[in-house]
Amino acid sequence: MTMSAGWYLRRLSRMGPREVGGRVGDAVRRRRWRSAPPERPVVTGARFTAVLPAGTIAALPPDAAKRLVAAADRLMDGHAEFFGVEREDLAAPDWWRDPKTGRRAPDGYAFDVPYRNEDAVGDIKQIWEPSRHQYLTVLAAAYAVTGNERYAERVAEHLRSWWTDNPPLRGVHWISGIELGIRLLSWVWIRRLLDGWPGAAGLFEENPVALDQIWYHQRWLAAFPSRGSSANNHVIAEAAGQFAAACAFGWFPSSARWRSGALRSLERHLRANTFPSGLNRELATEYHGLVLELGLAAVAEADAAAVPVPRTVRLVLLRMTDALAAVVDDRLRPPRQGDADDGHGLVVDGAGTDRWASLLATGEAVFGRLAWWPEVTGTDVRTPLLAALLKPYGKPGSTPAVTRPARRRAHFADAGTTVLRGPDGIWCRCDGGPHGFLSIAAHGHADALSLEVRQDGVDVLADPGTYCYHGQPEWRRYFRSTLGHNTLELHGEDQSVSGGPFLWTRHARSRVLVADTSGEAVSRWCAEHDGYRRSVHRRRVELVAASRELRVVDEVSGPRRAVRLAFHLGPAVTADLTGNRAVLTWTRDGHDRSAVLDLPGQLTWRAHRGETGPPLGWYSAGFGRKEPATTLVGTGSTDGGQGFTTVLGFRG
């Protein structure tokens, strides 16, 4: 995907003067570094002291350690999966090759590489992901658990290979700050987990090539931070990685300055990226998880190095954790809202470890669980590792005292997110919040007033997900479109106007009118948005506990217009559509479940599944993966105020 001149003009229009000035300065600096790159100062006597407390590894849960070692053995055999692509070449990877397209990124000065052009580079996400070196943290953790040096030797072999093939400022891996930040965090943990290996010091602090890489990563991040309209989760990753490295690898004359600057940035942007309620302002749940992981990992480094951290940093992380505990369903699944690219801050676990359960387990260890929190029964490796470094905060009896929610929150007014809960694990998320974060809302979808409905963790009315970012514009448009969500589309248009794959030039404005979740018998929600200019879409939702029914009424004011109302079913759900009634069936834990979806009779209904011209009827469980799923679409026109009523009744 290449960007046109029009895209650059649209992107420029979303920047303020300060951001424009900063980007001009970045361009000048990049040009200067081409001919005169900065030089690393001489370092002597470097030592690594940020080790794990004694007994940490021995206390890891045996089942989690077993999963970790199994994952490490698969990696040792060269097998891995990134974004739906099975890799067989990870024993000796080509760091610049995309296995999906077979293309190899061009060599040259980093800022000249056209990384958005898949024809020239390949799928950039496939190239970047292994070079976050999170699979190497898994191998390093396997060494720490088993003491088997073959894991450590493979880590050393791959790091030396990467450092040789990716010298500072050359090639595709020196373009994006988030990649550098996460890679630094991985290196910190690799060094920590390899501490018992005799070759650890020779690989890192006694290795001039490693010192070059660590210094240049931090110098790059200090020079080219994400700015202004781009200061979303990327700037958190940049600050967290820089701060972690400056704490654990504080061997350079600039380390103290980098550390204080990164901590200031982390504190400011954690607050800016998080609503007071604790939800992430990007309204993209996967990035809530990423930011929380990065923040916890950064504070762990601060505590390991005895670096004071502003109280606000821990308080934001506490609020994020409590918010996550509040919104998950009965199977600990959070909403599927906005973009998701499976990004993690720190990976030390094997397959089958639940990301969200792990975050809640860490929150329990560091902050203490509240009485209303859902129970976490699984185990993981990351929680005891982080908890060994992190100082407890906000637990009952701790100082300073922190006020936390006395009961499970259902309505997050600042984020416009409301969760309605019914019997038998019925869970419904209603979206009446902002379109996204900052002027470009990069990771937002055109999903105003959309719903997600689950029973016992199964997607019944599903948010289809994300699937891709670069290289496949038709699919990118579909998965972030209004038609790609459980909401109403007018005149064949999205509610918000897209200016590119990570750019929205006009944002629908939503407001929640009613959010009554206090009654056990009936929960009510109502919201509206103005994304269609002359028309206003208002949606009312009622969840009746006794009948296990969800009633949805869509109303449109304004001139008569063509309408499409979409309901996307989860991939486990089959539908038998007759007229305007669909019988839904699925299986959960060996038990058959069913529901009846009575659809508005004013519309003509049709089931779509796995269509490609254009895309319709798809579900993406994770980045790079998609599968056919049934989408029910009703077509017709607005009717002067008469509402469209949909009733979902659960039967079994």
Side-chain angles (χ1 to χ4, degrees):
M1 182 182 298
T2 56
M3 300 303 179
S4 65
W7 178 87
Y8 284 102
L9 289 174
R10 292 190 296 272
R11 184 66 184 85
L12 183 64
S13 72
R14 310 307 291 176
M15 302 181 193
R18 184 173 181 179
E19 181 179 356
V20 172
R23 289 178 182 271
V24 169
D26 290 347
V28 171
R29 190 174 298 109
R30 288 168 181 165
R31 185 166 184 169
R32 185 171 69 246
W33 281 21
R34 179 199 296 271
S35 56
E39 295 184 7
R40 175 178 66 83
V42 175
V43 172
T44 57
R47 294 177 57 245
F48 183 81
T49 59
V51 298
L52 288 168
T56 299
I57 298 298
L60 294 178
D63 58 330
K66 183 178 180 180
R67 291 195 305 271
L68 161 67
V69 173
D73 287 341
R74 187 169 185 268
L75 290 168
M76 290 294 290
D77 290 337
H79 303 305
E81 183 265 324
F82 296 112
F83 307 137
V85 175
E86 292 290 339
R87 299 281 296 265
E88 307 292 337
D89 61 341
L90 220 63
D94 181 338
W95 303 108
W96 291 13
R97 183 180 180 274
D98 164 30
K100 190 171 79 173
T101 64
R103 299 187 182 100
R104 197 169 189 274
D107 197 353
Y109 184 54
F111 299 114
D112 291 340
V113 176
Y115 70 96
R116 292 190 180 98
N117 186 343
E118 186 169 301
D119 291 337
V121 175
D123 184 333
I124 192 62
K125 292 283 287 181
Q126 287 289 344
I127 296 173
W128 277 345
E129 190 67 15
S131 288
R132 290 186 171 188
H133 289 169
Q134 293 176 324
Y135 78 95
L136 294 181
T137 56
V138 171
L139 291 176
Y143 164 75
V145 167
T146 66
N148 190 326
E149 294 192 0
R150 71 189 186 104
Y151 300 117
E153 290 163 357
R154 176 63 60 82
V155 171
E157 176 188 345
H158 280 206
L159 283 179
R160 290 192 174 104
S161 167
W162 195 93
W163 291 335
T164 298
D165 290 353
N166 296 276
L169 305 181
R170 180 184 141 198
V172 73
H173 296 300
W174 289 88
I175 297 171
S176 174
I178 188 174
E179 304 304 316
L180 276 73
I182 290 177
R183 194 155 51 237
L184 277 176
L185 186 58
S186 294
W187 291 353
V188 168
W189 275 92
I190 289 169
R191 177 61 184 87
R192 174 174 290 126
L193 292 164
L194 293 185
D195 192 62
W197 181 52
L203 179 62
F204 280 93
E205 56 265 31
E206 296 173 5
N207 181 0
V209 175
L211 293 174
D212 277 349
Q213 289 279 346
I214 294 167
W215 184 85
Y216 259 101
H217 271 66
Q218 295 183 84
R219 182 69 182 88
W220 192 108
L221 290 171
F224 303 111
S226 292
R227 302 178 183 276
S229 57
S230 293
N232 52 15
N233 63 86
H234 283 231
V235 77
I236 302 291
E238 294 161 9
Q242 174 127 39
F243 179 73
C247 287
F249 301 147
W251 307 321
F252 308 103
S254 297
S255 290
R257 177 167 54 85
W258 287 338
R259 187 166 55 240
S260 60
L263 183 56
R264 284 195 303 272
S265 176
L266 185 68
E267 192 274 338
R268 178 162 65 94
H269 289 292
L270 270 176
R271 283 190 292 107
N273 276 255
T274 309
F275 287 112
S277 66
L279 290 181
N280 184 267
R281 286 185 184 271
E282 292 197 76
L283 295 171
T285 310
E286 289 279 347
Y287 290 110
H288 183 107
L290 173 64
V291 169
L292 182 53
E293 289 173 357
L294 290 166
L296 290 168
V299 175
E301 296 306 326
D303 290 349
V307 174
V309 172
R311 179 175 182 267
T312 51
V313 171
R314 298 183 199 266
L315 185 56
V316 169
L317 298 176
L318 169 60
R319 288 173 176 163
M320 292 182 73
T321 305
D322 281 338
L324 176 63
V327 299
V328 295
D329 64 23
D330 288 2
R331 297 292 180 116
L332 303 185
R333 294 184 61 216
R336 284 168 52 89
Q337 183 178 16
D339 271 350
D341 71 348
D342 299 353
H344 287 72
L346 174 65
V347 180
V348 286
D349 275 286
T353 301
D354 185 279
R355 175 186 197 171
W356 307 104
S358 170
L359 277 170
L360 291 176
T362 304
E364 180 175 346
V366 177
F367 304 124
R369 76 182 309 274
L370 298 175
W372 55 261
W373 270 32
E375 201 69 38
V376 176
T377 56
T379 62
D380 69 309
V381 170
R382 188 178 62 188
T383 288
L385 294 183
L386 287 174
L389 301 178
L390 284 160
K391 295 177 181 176
Y393 178 81
K395 289 186 176 182
S398 66
T399 303
V402 176
T403 301
R404 298 173 66 184
R407 59 183 59 87
R408 192 173 204 171
R409 178 179 290 178
H411 177 56
F412 296 78
D414 46 13
T417 296
T418 306
V419 177
L420 310 181
R421 296 178 188 271
D424 301 323
I426 297 172
W427 176 97
C428 172
R429 176 184 65 86
C430 306
D431 179 7
H435 175 59
F437 182 48
L438 301 174
S439 62
I440 64 173
H443 292 298
H445 289 188
D447 57 357
L449 311 195
S450 65
L451 304 176
E452 275 187 276
V453 181
R454 301 175 191 157
Q455 185 182 36
D456 200 19
V458 174
D459 291 310
V460 179
L461 301 183
D463 183 302
T466 298
Y467 178 55
C468 66
Y469 281 171
H470 301 279
Q472 301 177 76
E474 187 177 34
W475 290 101
R476 176 66 171 152
R477 283 193 296 269
Y478 169 68
F479 276 99
R480 67 205 290 256
S481 70
T482 297
L483 185 63
H485 295 84
N486 296 315
T487 188
L488 184 145
E489 177 204 78
L490 289 182
H491 206 56
E493 298 174 350
D494 286 338
Q495 308 149 336
S496 296
V497 177
S498 173
F502 297 98
L503 171 63
W504 296 92
T505 56
R506 182 169 61 80
H507 303 181
R509 294 176 300 178
S510 303
R511 62 172 183 154
V512 176
L513 305 173
V514 176
D516 181 3
T517 61
S518 58
E520 294 184 3
V522 182
S523 299
R524 295 180 175 88
W525 176 86
C526 179
E528 64 183 21
H529 76 83
D530 66 355
Y532 295 119
R533 296 181 182 271
R534 293 185 299 162
S535 299
V536 173
H537 175 205
R538 177 176 292 182
R539 169 169 275 184
R540 292 184 282 116
V541 178
E542 288 186 352
L543 177 58
V544 182
S547 60
R548 299 195 302 167
E549 282 189 348
L550 189 78
R551 180 176 293 269
V552 182
V553 180
D554 291 292
E555 299 170 335
V556 180
S557 63
R560 186 179 181 88
R561 305 181 73 176
V563 62
R564 286 195 290 184
L565 179 59
F567 291 106
H568 300 262
L569 309 183
V573 177
T574 60
D576 182 4
L577 176 65
T578 303
N580 66 317
R581 167 170 281 206
V583 177
L584 314 181
T585 55
W586 65 95
T587 301
R588 177 57 151 168
D589 296 336
H591 299 287
D592 293 335
R593 303 287 184 90
S594 66
V596 174
L597 188 61
D598 285 314
L599 301 158
Q602 309 100 302
L603 303 177
T604 301
W605 290 91
R606 182 184 166 196
H608 303 263
R609 185 177 179 86
E611 298 174 8
T612 58
L616 186 58
W618 295 91
Y619 179 94
S620 174
F623 197 84
R625 298 181 291 276
K626 68 180 188 299
E627 59 185 300
T630 300
T631 297
L632 304 175
V633 178
T635 59
S637 62
T638 56
D639 50 8
Q642 182 182 358
F644 301 106
T645 300
T646 304
V647 179
L648 174 63
F650 291 90
R651 298 292 180 256

